[in-house]
Amino acid sequence: MRTFAIGDIHGGLKALLQVLNQLEITENDTLIFMGDYVDGWSESAQVVEFLLQLSKKINCIFIKGNHDVWCEDWLKNGTVNASWYLHGGKETMDSYEGFSRNERIQHLQFFEKMPLYHIDNQNRLFIHAGFTSLYGVQRELHEGIFNTDRSLWEMMLAMDKNLEKTSPFFPKRLQLYHEIYIGHTPTTNYNEPLPMNFYNLWNIDTGAAFKGKITAINVDTKAIFQSENLPSLYPNEKGRNK
């Protein structure tokens, strides 16, 4: 049995299919999606529909991202968050043209059921953005942090890479879990097209919302699988490159 973590998708169904085709998934495998299924490219609703159908055949875990919260609010009560609209929300709303009321309800239920994080039986944490509690995700006071926090990632970037894990200065948050997998902040912001790893933390958002790729990683072997750059798959669109 294999476990794959899959980074932010942002409406890029064509790229997602490229990645899944490389994985050659079987019924014994587990797919952990890191959130942000919508907002960016033109197939957000189609991504959600595809994932709903995929989960009927394959064991899938869908972590909720911040863009998914916005889309959920819109599907539930018509709320159009201003930031959401400017950062891919308009494209997501457009993608739902032709979807029936019943289909939209099914998609809303899909978002409502999403966990904010997942901890597997090897004490690996999968979370969209990060957490702040020194006692772990179960002790976090504000759940909204799970899909918006960047302090965990920024701490990793600023850390002395020679710091020993036995040092009293080694961050407690990193000692809580065997490994931590996140998305949310594109590695392409740092001119890196691949997932970035520091100590036991892996960032697998490789910029699919912008000019990067969708990435999957085998969490046991660390084998990496990537799509083409999203602009090449959607040549007549801008995604979030505005």
Side-chain angles (χ1 to χ4, degrees), residues 206-226:
T206 50
F210 301 98
K211 297 181 180 179
K213 311 169 187 290
I214 292 177
T215 292
I217 183 171
N218 183 316
V219 299
D220 294 310
T221 68
K222 302 302 183 286
I224 293 170
F225 307 84
Q226 292 190 300

Side-chain angles (χ1 to χ4, degrees), residues 106-122:
Q106 291 177 3
H107 287 201
L108 172 60
Q109 293 171 344
F110 174 73
F111 286 117
E112 289 177 334
K113 293 177 181 177
M114 287 179 183
L116 295 174
Y117 60 83
H118 173 70
I119 302 172
D120 71 6
N121 57 13
Q122 296 186 47

Side-chain angles (χ1 to χ4, degrees), residues 41-141:
W41 306 96
S42 61
E43 297 187 285
S44 287
Q46 291 78 10
V47 165
V48 175
E49 183 63 28
F50 173 80
L51 293 176
L52 274 169
Q53 300 307 317
L54 179 68
S55 65
K56 296 177 181 179
K57 304 174 183 177
I58 303 296
N59 182 34
C60 296
I61 297 167
F62 300 108
I63 307 299
K64 185 181 290 187
N66 57 307
H67 286 266
D68 310 315
V69 172
W70 285 329
C71 186
E72 178 184 339
D73 287 344
W74 173 68
L75 287 170
K76 186 174 184 177
N77 52 39
T79 301
V80 180
N81 180 287
S83 293
W84 178 57
Y85 187 85
L86 294 173
H87 293 91
K90 180 183 184 302
E91 288 75 14
T92 295
M93 293 166 67
D94 290 344
S95 74
Y96 272 94
E97 183 177 351
F99 277 70
S100 68
R101 181 176 181 277
N102 184 58
E103 288 171 325
R104 293 178 185 226
I105 291 173
Q106 291 177 3
H107 287 201
L108 172 60
Q109 293 171 344
F110 174 73
F111 286 117
E112 289 177 334
K113 293 177 181 177
M114 287 179 183
L116 295 174
Y117 60 83
H118 173 70
I119 302 172
D120 71 6
N121 57 13
Q122 296 186 47
N123 196 33
R124 295 180 291 208
L125 171 67
F126 301 84
I127 192 166
H128 179 64
F131 65 101
T132 63
S133 174
L134 299 183
Y135 301 98
V137 290
Q138 288 98 337
R139 299 278 294 275
E140 191 69 66
L141 295 178

